[in-house]
Amino acid sequence: MQISPLEDKSPVMGAPPSPQVRSEGLYFCDGKRKVDYVLVFHHRRLSSIRSLVSGSVSQDQLSVVSNGNFPPATSSDPAAGRGGDIPGGEAASVGEVFMELGSAKGSEPMEPVDQEMHLIRQEFETNLLEAGLEIEREKEVKTHGPSFTRIHAPWPVLCREAEFLKIRVPTKASYELKEERGFGSSMSSMWRKLNQPFQPKVSLQDHCSTKFLSHCFSRDKLHLYNISSKDTFFDNATRGRIVYEILRRTVCVRTCQTIGEDAKHQQTHQTCGISTLIAKGVYDSAFPLHDGDYKVIGHLEERTDRQVLNEEWARYSAFYKYQPIDLVRKYFGEKIGLYFAWLGVYTQLLIPASIVGIIVFGYGVATVDTNLPSLEMCDGRLNFTMCPLCDGACDFWHLSTACGTARASHLFDNPATVFFAIFMSLWAVLFLEHWKRRQISLSFSWDLTGIEEDEEHPRPKYETILLQKRQRKLKNKKKRKKSEPPVDKLTWKDRLPGYLINVTSILFMFGLTFSAVFSVIIYRITVSALMAMSPDPEIKSNVRVTVTATAVIINLVVILILDEIYGAVAQWLTELEIPKTETNFEERLIMKAFMLKFMNAYAPIFYVAFFKGRFVGRPGSYVYVFNNYRMEECAPGGCLIELCIQLSIIMLGKQLIQNNIFEIGIPRKLKKLIRALKEKGKTPKAREEEKPPQQWNLDYALAPFEGLTPEYMEMIIQFGFVSLFVASFPLAPLFALLNNVIEIRLDAKKFVTELRRPVAARAKDIGIWFNILSGMGKLSVIINAFVISFTSDFIPRLVYQYMYSPSGTMHGFIDHTLSYFNVSNFKPGSAPQNSEHEDITFCRYKDYREPPWSSDAYQLSKQYWSVLAARLAFVILFQNLVMFLGLMVAWVIPDVPKTIVEQLKREKKLLVNLFLQEEKEKFQLIQSLFAKDSILQSNSQVSNPSQGLPILGRYSTLPSGPAAGDGGGGGPRPRCRAASFSQFSGKTSSSPKNENANSRQTAV
């Protein structure tokens, strides 16, 4: 388990980069040091000067550069202060200063704002050098355009920060995973063979038989880690994360001019980092580099991680393959890896839901010709004469003309729909339980178990407002001349205006959504009335289809427009709350955006499911809108078919238009057009002189990564379509599955080829999204229960068959659901004016009311109350049954797999044994050293008896007093100083320089 001290001290460097890799711009100009991070800023003036400042320059000119922050005798370019500058003697001498200040004659002077930005950058980069980073700038001095500052983290800095961040790394110790035996082993091997064509061709193997123990990195235990190369021990994602942590906490006094009670209080609040500098415009952006080009140029064996992801993950031809989740996590970090793992689990579990949905739909297709209610509605011999659909212009009509609607309604409104609703409610519970197990498995394999939350720094806006508050307090203190406690944070009083604006704005947005839905309702009512008044019989016959289709399309357009508006509004409202950290900001933004977009997407569907046709009234006593237009009714076959149409068009439209065309298609076409216009504007000479772009130029041209909130929100809204109203549209899981198969590859291509590389962020779970999914799963049970009870005809059919049917069958169900109305009771002007049916005395309408010859004419009948009681009873029964089954499923399936529990215990035991063995070897080594020193001292006393006791020197390990191993008393034994590796090897430093070098080596 241990390596020798000599091996630990010897530098272990990887193979030098190939010329191809060097040309891609992944290294400094020396071709050895990696570019771990890039800072970008723009020159905002016409000329830039490289001026020589000699010793005769006045102090005023030097003060512009130093300003009390930099020594006047050194170069103002921070990259010249350490070995991070361009090699080859390009660094400035003591008397030479590289200035971006236009101070020479004949040049345009910089604006004061640009001068301040330049000095801030100088101070910040100097602080980065003091933190141990190495910096490289471009050789040529640009007059305009972006300028790139490359950053490299050397091995000591990586080790120091990895220990601070508690990054877990694999050790040399490993153990064999427990293999299945017997029937389970044969089944697993057979399953792996069947799955082989669906596995991506990546070097990382998910099913390894050996697992290395991991432990938080420590500089004192370098000998325990398998460091084959110091250049590759920390991968590029980890290196970028380490550099970002340094950039985030590096203080720049010019941007953090805080006001405190004393110097200590002032230093406590100087936490401004790269985020604040970007927010203030000092830098345009900061990002880690991608691993070269995503296109494979050389041999397949020499592919980078980015090229592997592009070939095996981001191609549409790989839609049938599993995702290389481990490689995604390695390249992008745990947070993005968890998103794609969650999306993969969700998509996989949509397969059984889609199969069951297809079976339910197939059952409706197979039984549509034998369904008695549909046959009765289509039978023209029964001659159900229905009341007019509008006042005056509409005539009586026969129910058999709605035969097509009735047959289509049966495809989705049949007894199998109830089973499917129960199945999908349990499916939602099973999906969440399966994801919890998958999440625990990934946390274990990615060494995320037991990690602590990273310390978060305040957001730039929070710091700015806090600074303003301190300044106000200081002014008040000077006026009142009273001592007040220092301001450490913002209170609820500071956020109260933002909270009030949030509440009023969200209520206004809800009102806007309801207004949009109501406007579409008015459109449907008015267009239906106008088309019914048309003399063209073809137009009259297509009123319902035309109005429904156009209204749904209008709803879709309104939803897409309001979605974009609500996203921007949610961002603005969250900024007003002044969250302290990025995590708080993200969680509040998610909740606001989800509430607004949920209401926007589902408000039209809620209206059709639960409100349409409920407040119509009856013939002779209709409910009117604006005193002229009747409230719209459901189709003769019920509102469920309209709910199905509404749900399918909105779901497919959002997925196709918003998620694919707006998110991917249009931006990609615009980028190609802009690139073509730029190329067209260049002259042939400029094209020949143009240098090939470096990797930082290519990455800077990509779009910045703006978080996973849009990706999650898109899938959460889709999950609502799949689970909330699935009783009305059994094919929803199938369309969601087809969309997600494409969505995974679209998102993968976007992350690999179109976005800058994000900083690898650690995360143990998907955060607040899991709570939203859990809440939607519980809400889906209630909504599906009400859809089956009140929107479909499932309960009325059951009540009729078992309570009112003479034969115990569905014969006569249509006649049972239709009430009678005496046409002589029409209000003046509401009866048909030019009716073709002059001999009609009674017309029928769909409702449970007493006939006109009854003593309680047109009042709700006993059948109505029986059906209502059955509906409410079904809601209670369905909800409790599904909730109970869901609890049973959650109880049966443990959150943590048994194998992982056993492996965690085993790893803990092995780590304890490893450290005990290390301590034991360390103790034995120190004991042997003491014995060796005592033998040497005894020999020296024998050879020089007059010398006496040895003088305790700098490297002596013997205590003063009794000799080591002497059992005599005489006082407590002093504690020995720990020995170094150089002492164990029998070598001592011959110079102070070597002594300091040895002191930096890892002590046992």
Side-chain angles (χ1 to χ4, degrees):
M1 295 293 178
Q2 246 181 346
I3 60 175
S4 66
L6 291 177
E7 290 176 348
D8 182 67
K9 288 196 295 182
S10 61
V12 184
M13 303 297 292
S18 62
Q20 178 184 353
V21 174
R22 293 178 187 176
S23 64
E24 291 176 348
L26 300 177
Y27 289 80
F28 277 13
C29 289
D30 57 8
K32 297 180 181 179
R33 292 173 290 178
K34 288 183 179 180
V35 177
D36 296 319
Y37 223 85
V38 175
L39 306 179
V40 188
F41 63 92
H42 266 272
H43 295 276
R44 295 179 177 85
R45 59 189 180 89
L46 298 178
S47 61
S48 181
I49 294 176
R50 181 178 186 266
S51 60
L52 262 177
V53 182
S54 60
S56 61
V57 178
S58 65
Q59 183 64 31
D60 294 337
Q61 289 175 323
L62 279 178
S63 65
V64 175
V65 180
S66 63
N67 201 22
N69 292 321
F70 304 98
T74 60
S75 169
S76 67
D77 188 353
R82 197 178 281 262
D85 201 2
I86 303 169
E90 294 289 337
S93 62
V94 175
E96 186 179 15
V97 179
F98 292 97
M99 299 177 63
E100 293 184 16
L101 306 180
S103 57
K105 294 181 179 180
S107 65
E108 296 184 6
M110 292 179 66
E111 297 292 334
V113 176
D114 293 333
Q115 294 180 6
E116 182 67 20
M117 296 290 185
H118 172 71
L119 295 175
I120 291 173
R121 285 194 295 269
Q122 282 185 323
E123 179 190 352
F124 182 72
E125 292 174 13
T126 300
N127 293 338
L128 294 182
L129 292 171
E130 293 177 355
L133 298 178
E134 298 176 356
I135 294 177
E136 180 184 69
R137 280 190 176 179
E138 297 170 348
K139 291 183 179 180
E140 66 274 5
V141 179
K142 289 189 175 182
T143 58
H144 61 86
S147 182
F148 300 91
T149 301
R150 281 89 69 186
I151 297 176
H152 168 76
W155 172 254
V157 174
L158 293 174
C159 294
R160 180 192 71 204
E161 298 298 323
E163 185 172 352
F164 291 164
L165 297 175
K166 298 182 179 180
I167 296 176
R168 298 178 71 92
V169 294
T171 63
K172 294 180 180 178
S174 63
Y175 66 94
E176 298 292 329
L177 297 177
K178 186 178 179 181
E179 296 182 358
E180 297 182 1
R181 297 181 180 180
F183 179 74
S185 177
S186 59
M187 290 296 294
S188 299
S189 60
M190 185 176 68
W191 178 252
R192 282 195 293 268
K193 289 180 181 179
L194 293 176
N195 262 341
Q196 193 61 35
F198 306 102
Q199 297 294 335
K201 298 177 182 178
V202 295
S203 58
L204 296 175
Q205 298 295 331
D206 294 336
H207 303 286
C208 295
S209 58
T210 304
K211 188 177 188 304
F212 287 89
L213 297 178
S214 64
H215 187 259
C216 294
F217 186 85
S218 174
R219 288 172 288 180
D220 295 337
K221 302 183 183 300
L222 289 178
H223 56 284
L224 295 180
Y225 309 127
N226 191 13
I227 307 178
S228 59
S229 170
K230 291 185 178 180
D231 289 338
T232 58
F233 180 70
F234 296 106
D235 56 35
N236 292 342
T238 306
R239 297 173 70 100
R241 178 179 163 226
I242 288 174
V243 175
Y244 174 71
E245 291 295 331
I246 298 176
L247 293 173
R248 194 173 66 170
R249 70 166 186 261
T250 299
V251 176
C252 186
V253 178
R254 284 186 172 271
T255 56
C256 302
Q257 296 175 358
T258 56
I259 300 176
E261 294 296 322
D262 49 19
K264 182 178 180 181
H265 181 265
Q266 182 173 353
Q267 292 176 1
T268 304
H269 295 283
Q270 290 181 357
T271 57
C272 306
I274 188 63
S275 300
T276 304
L277 297 180
I278 293 176
K280 291 179 179 293
V282 178
Y283 289 100
D284 287 344
S285 59
F287 52 87
L289 291 180
H290 278 292
D291 292 352
D293 194 6
Y294 61 86
K295 297 178 182 178
V296 179
I297 300 176
H299 298 286
L300 294 177
E301 294 79 9
E302 299 177 356
R303 294 183 299 178
T304 62
D305 289 344
R306 190 185 188 191
Q307 293 169 348
V308 172
L309 289 173
N310 183 58
E311 293 290 325
E312 301 294 332
W313 183 49
R315 288 184 176 272
Y316 298 113
S317 57
F319 72 93
Y320 63 94
K321 291 185 178 181
Y322 290 99
Q323 298 184 86
I325 291 298
D326 289 336
L327 187 58
V328 173
R329 171 255 179 179
K330 176 187 175 185
Y331 192 81
F332 292 108
E334 287 81 4
K335 195 170 186 178
I336 295 177
L338 282 174
Y339 163 71
F340 281 103
W342 173 83
L343 183 56
V345 170
Y346 172 47
T347 305
Q348 287 177 5
L349 286 182
L350 281 174
I351 296 175
S354 303
I355 294 173
V356 176
I358 293 173
I359 293 174
V360 170
F361 181 75
Y363 174 81
V365 173
T367 58
V368 68
D369 293 329
T370 60
N371 182 44
L372 289 178
S374 299
L375 294 177
E376 289 183 355
M377 191 176 291
C378 296
D379 191 354
R381 296 171 297 177
L382 296 177
N383 194 22
F384 294 115
T385 303
M386 307 298 293
C387 296
L389 296 175
C390 64
D391 293 344
C394 298
D395 197 0
F396 300 102
W397 57 284
H398 292 292
L399 185 61
S400 58
T401 57
C403 176
T405 305
R407 291 173 63 85
S409 179
H410 177 73
L411 299 178
F412 305 99
D413 188 6
N414 54 68
T417 305
V418 180
F419 162 76
F420 188 63
I422 297 175
F423 170 81
M424 288 303 296
S425 299
L426 296 178
W427 173 87
V429 177
L430 185 65
F431 162 58
L432 294 177
E433 292 299 320
H434 181 62
W435 167 244
K436 283 194 287 188
R437 289 172 61 87
R438 175 66 172 157
Q439 189 172 259
I440 293 295
S441 300
L442 291 175
S443 298
F444 173 72
S445 60
W446 293 351
D447 296 325
L448 298 176
T449 53
I451 66 169
E452 299 178 1
E453 295 292 336
D454 294 337
E455 180 185 358
E456 291 194 74
H457 296 274
R459 299 179 66 249
K461 186 171 183 180
Y462 180 89
E463 290 182 326
T464 303
I465 296 177
L466 185 61
L467 174 60
Q468 295 172 357
K469 183 179 179 181
R470 292 196 191 114
Q471 291 174 341
R472 291 194 301 268
K473 287 281 186 180
L474 185 62
K475 291 180 181 179
N476 295 335
K477 177 184 175 182
K478 290 181 178 179
K479 291 180 180 179
R480 299 176 183 177
K481 297 182 180 180
K482 293 182 180 180
S483 59
E484 296 182 0
V487 179
D488 294 330
K489 62 180 181 180
L490 299 179
T491 61
W492 66 270
K493 295 181 181 178
D494 303 311
R495 297 185 171 96
L496 185 59
Y499 291 152
L500 295 177
I501 296 176
N502 266 264
V503 173
T504 54
S505 300
I506 290 176
L507 292 178
F508 174 76
M509 295 299 153
F510 284 172
L512 181 62
T513 302
F514 294 145
S515 301
V517 175
F518 185 71
S519 301
V520 176
I521 295 172
I522 298 301
Y523 163 82
R524 295 165 66 114
I525 294 173
T526 53
V527 173
S528 298
L530 293 174
M531 292 183 69
M533 297 176 186
S534 174
D536 190 351
E538 186 176 352
I539 294 178
K540 283 186 176 182
S541 61
N542 296 322
V543 169
R544 195 174 296 276
V545 176
T546 304
V547 170
T548 301
T550 54
V552 172
I553 293 173
I554 293 173
N555 266 328
L556 175 61
V557 173
V558 171
I559 287 173
L560 295 178
I561 295 173
L562 290 181
D563 251 2
E564 300 300 322
I565 296 175
Y566 288 165
V569 169
Q571 184 91 13
W572 174 66
L573 292 177
T574 309
E575 290 284 358
L576 292 179
E577 290 186 0
I578 323 173
K580 183 175 182 179
T581 62
E582 287 295 338
T583 300
N584 293 337
F585 179 85
E586 185 178 1
E587 290 181 352
R588 298 185 184 193
L589 174 62
I590 289 170
M591 288 306 301
K592 290 181 185 61
F594 173 73
M595 284 192 299
L596 294 174
K597 294 190 176 186
F598 180 90
M599 186 64 64
N600 181 42
Y602 299 118
I605 302 174
F606 270 97
Y607 164 73
V608 175
F610 303 121
F611 298 101
K612 185 178 180 181
R614 311 292 174 188
F615 311 101
V616 177
R618 61 170 179 83
S621 180
Y622 284 113
V623 177
Y624 291 90
V625 180
F626 302 129
N627 297 323
N628 291 319
Y629 302 103
R630 279 165 44 180
M631 287 293 293
E632 58 179 344
E633 304 177 35
C634 290
C639 280
L640 195 69
I641 184 63
E642 295 189 35
L643 177 61
C644 175
I645 295 172
Q646 185 98 2
L647 181 65
S648 59
I649 293 180
I650 292 178
M651 177 182 177
L652 296 178
K654 272 184 65 67
Q655 292 182 164
L656 179 64
I657 297 175
Q658 186 180 35
N659 301 343
N660 296 335
I661 296 179
F662 285 175
E663 182 181 351
I664 303 294
I666 294 178
R668 190 175 295 170
K669 295 297 181 183
L670 287 176
K671 287 179 182 178
K672 288 184 179 180
L673 179 61
I674 294 172
R675 195 179 301 117
L677 292 176
K678 286 183 178 180
E679 290 293 329
K680 188 177 180 180
K682 294 179 181 178
T683 61
K685 184 177 180 181
R687 293 177 184 173
E688 294 177 0
E689 295 177 354
E690 186 178 4
K691 296 180 181 180
Q694 297 289 340
Q695 187 62 45
W696 46 82
N697 298 103
L698 297 174
D699 286 6
Y700 181 63
L702 300 177
F705 173 70
E706 296 180 351
L708 291 169
T709 300
E711 316 299 334
Y712 273 114
M713 189 67 69
E714 173 187 334
M715 291 294 105
I716 294 296
I717 297 297
Q718 185 203 85
F719 180 79
F721 285 124
V722 169
S723 60
L724 294 182
F725 297 93
V726 74
S728 63
F729 188 41
L731 295 180
L734 175 63
F735 288 112
L737 173 64
L738 297 177
N739 174 81
N740 287 5
V741 169
I742 301 173
E743 181 71 22
I744 290 176
R745 307 304 160 180
L746 279 175
D747 286 347
K749 191 171 186 64
K750 182 172 69 173
F751 273 86
V752 174
T753 66
E754 299 176 6
L755 293 180
R756 295 175 192 164
R757 187 174 188 172
V759 179
R762 284 196 303 184
K764 295 186 293 185
D765 48 40
I766 60 175
I768 195 174
W769 296 110
F770 184 84
N771 299 330
I772 294 175
L773 284 169
S774 180
M776 292 184 72
K778 293 179 174 61
L779 183 62
S780 68
V781 177
I782 302 172
I783 291 179
N784 281 308
F786 277 94
V787 167
I788 295 173
S789 297
F790 290 90
T791 309
S792 73
D793 285 336
F794 176 73
I795 299 300
R797 286 196 295 263
L798 285 180
V799 172
Y800 173 77
Q801 183 175 359
Y802 293 104
M803 291 183 64
Y804 299 102
S805 175
S807 60
T809 63
M810 294 302 296
H811 285 288
F813 173 71
I814 297 299
D815 183 60
H816 178 75
T817 59
L818 299 177
S819 299
Y820 288 90
F821 178 76
N822 193 335
V823 296
S824 62
N825 295 332
F826 274 120
K827 289 183 178 180
S830 62
Q833 297 175 357
N834 299 317
S835 177
E836 298 177 358
H837 309 81
E838 297 180 356
D839 55 344
I840 292 179
T841 306
F842 298 99
C843 65
R844 311 292 295 272
Y845 62 98
K846 191 173 182 179
D847 204 349
Y848 291 101
R849 290 184 180 270
E850 296 291 343
W853 55 82
S854 173
S855 58
D856 298 325
Y858 306 125
Q859 297 298 316
L860 296 174
S861 62
K862 295 180 180 179
Q863 289 87 343
Y864 172 82
W865 299 110
S866 300
V867 171
L868 180 61
R871 281 173 167 168
L872 295 176
F874 177 83
V875 168
I876 297 172
L877 178 64
F878 182 90
Q879 178 182 344
N880 286 279
L881 175 63
V882 174
M883 290 289 188
F884 173 75
L885 293 177
L887 291 175
M888 288 293 295
V889 171
W891 177 73
V892 170
I893 303 176
D895 293 344
V896 184
K898 184 179 178 181
T899 55
I900 291 184
V901 174
E902 295 176 353
Q903 290 183 23
L904 284 173
K905 293 180 180 179
R906 188 178 181 186
E907 284 195 2
K908 185 176 181 180
K909 183 179 179 181
L910 290 174
L911 277 175
V912 171
N913 293 337
L914 176 65
F915 292 137
L916 288 177
Q917 181 67 23
E918 180 196 7
E919 292 295 327
K920 183 178 179 181
E921 293 176 358
K922 188 189 304 182
F923 182 72
Q924 291 176 352
L925 190 62
I926 294 176
Q927 274 191 335
S928 63
L929 182 64
F930 286 165
K932 181 179 178 181
D933 286 348
S934 61
I935 293 174
L936 290 175
Q937 288 182 1
S938 60
N939 291 336
S940 62
Q941 289 179 3
V942 171
S943 58
N944 300 314
S946 61
Q947 187 174 351
L949 292 174
I951 301 174
L952 295 176
R954 180 176 178 86
Y955 297 102
S956 175
T957 56
L958 286 178
S960 60
D966 191 4
R973 178 179 175 178
R975 187 172 182 177
C976 302
R977 186 176 60 84
S980 65
F981 280 122
S982 59
Q983 292 172 262
F984 296 160
S985 58
K987 297 180 181 180
T988 57
S989 59
S990 58
S991 65
K993 181 179 180 180
N994 293 334
E995 179 182 336
N996 294 334
N998 290 333
S999 65
R1000 287 196 297 266
Q1001 298 297 330
T1002 304
V1004 178

